Amino acid sequence: MLISKPIAEAIRDGRVTTQYRRWDAPRVKVGGTQLTSAGLVTFTRVAQVKDLDRVSDRAARAAGLKDAAALRRALAPKQRKPSARGSRGGDKVYRIHVAWVGEDPRISLRDRLPDAAELAVIQRRLQRLDARPTGAWTRDVLEWIRDHPRVVSKELAALRGVELLPLKADIRKLKALGLTISHEVGYELSPRGAAYLATLEGN
């Protein structure tokens, strides 16, 4: 479920405690978590809203909206093409109760220098990422980020001669391992990523 940065920050601060979504069926589970730009968010309750007209202004504000009218406008069904069935996003409205449960675990991970055992785990996971038809790529991308820190992603893709979206998807995989840091503009290696790359170059 998409959670914008302002809403994620409000969940972290406790100003937003619910979200509403139009789905055919719930897409999140109670007890599940989601990583957002403001940290880890958990879902504490999911319930179908039978009558959207009965949602109060107070309830709408708890979801980050100005009032109930704004919430109803945001959830108004948008029709698909005539050949499609139902409305875009789903025919039912769900209220999802949310709570902030902690910082992005990758933040502490990226600052932790790996020991020999962790280096072996990182290497195995990167080998799995490298096992694709187009060939190995992880070391190449790590080296490019090291040599071109904070370069705007479009320029980095052009320098590498690759498509932007696949490149960003690859870098997100490296970030999930704590090897890179994302900035407003571009990326850089984390201490963990630099240590891993130094180990490779020392072999």
Side-chain angles (χ1 to χ4, degrees):
M1 153 171 131
L2 293 176
I3 299 176
S4 68
K5 185 174 182 178
I7 292 296
E9 293 287 352
I11 294 172
R12 177 182 179 134
D13 295 343
R15 292 178 286 114
V16 164
T17 56
T18 61
Q19 287 288 275
Y20 292 80
R21 293 293 186 273
R22 182 174 285 279
W23 294 328
D24 288 324
R27 298 181 187 176
V28 298
K29 295 181 179 180
V30 173
T33 59
Q34 180 169 322
L35 189 58
T36 73
S37 58
L40 205 59
V41 168
T42 188
F43 309 112
T44 60
R45 185 184 177 194
V46 180
Q48 184 179 347
V49 178
K50 297 294 187 179
D51 187 354
L52 193 58
D53 289 335
R54 297 185 64 181
V55 175
S56 67
D57 289 341
R58 181 179 179 181
R61 287 193 291 271
L65 279 298
K66 180 181 178 181
D67 52 31
L71 177 63
R72 285 191 287 272
R73 287 194 298 271
L75 291 170
K78 298 176 182 178
Q79 296 300 316
R80 294 172 177 161
K81 294 179 181 178
S83 58
R85 296 175 59 187
S87 58
R88 191 172 71 192
D91 294 326
K92 301 173 184 176
V93 172
Y94 291 88
R95 179 189 291 113
I96 306 100
H97 292 251
V98 293
W100 187 81
V101 290
E103 298 288 354
D104 183 340
R106 297 172 301 186
I107 294 176
S108 60
L109 180 63
R110 70 192 189 193
D111 291 329
R112 191 173 75 227
L113 298 182
D115 58 20
E118 287 181 303
L119 285 170
V121 171
I122 293 170
Q123 187 171 31
R124 286 196 298 270
R125 295 188 67 175
L126 293 183
Q127 285 174 343
R128 288 198 292 270
L129 292 177
D130 283 333
R132 66 187 189 189
T134 53
W137 59 273
T138 58
R139 179 172 179 172
D140 190 29
V141 170
L142 287 171
E143 290 175 341
W144 270 89
I145 292 174
R146 179 198 61 193
D147 298 337
H148 301 82
R150 296 178 181 260
V151 172
V152 64
S153 54
K154 286 184 179 179
E155 185 177 339
L156 183 60
L159 287 170
R160 287 185 45 75
V162 298
E163 295 293 329
L164 175 61
L165 293 182
L167 173 67
K168 294 177 76 170
D170 282 345
I171 294 174
R172 282 196 296 272
K173 295 171 186 175
L174 299 176
K175 182 179 179 181
L177 297 176
L179 303 179
T180 65
I181 301 172
S182 298
H183 296 290
E184 289 295 327
V185 176
Y187 313 90
E188 68 176 323
L189 290 188
S190 67
R192 188 177 184 84
Y196 173 74
L197 196 55
T199 300
L200 292 182
E201 295 177 340
N203 292 335

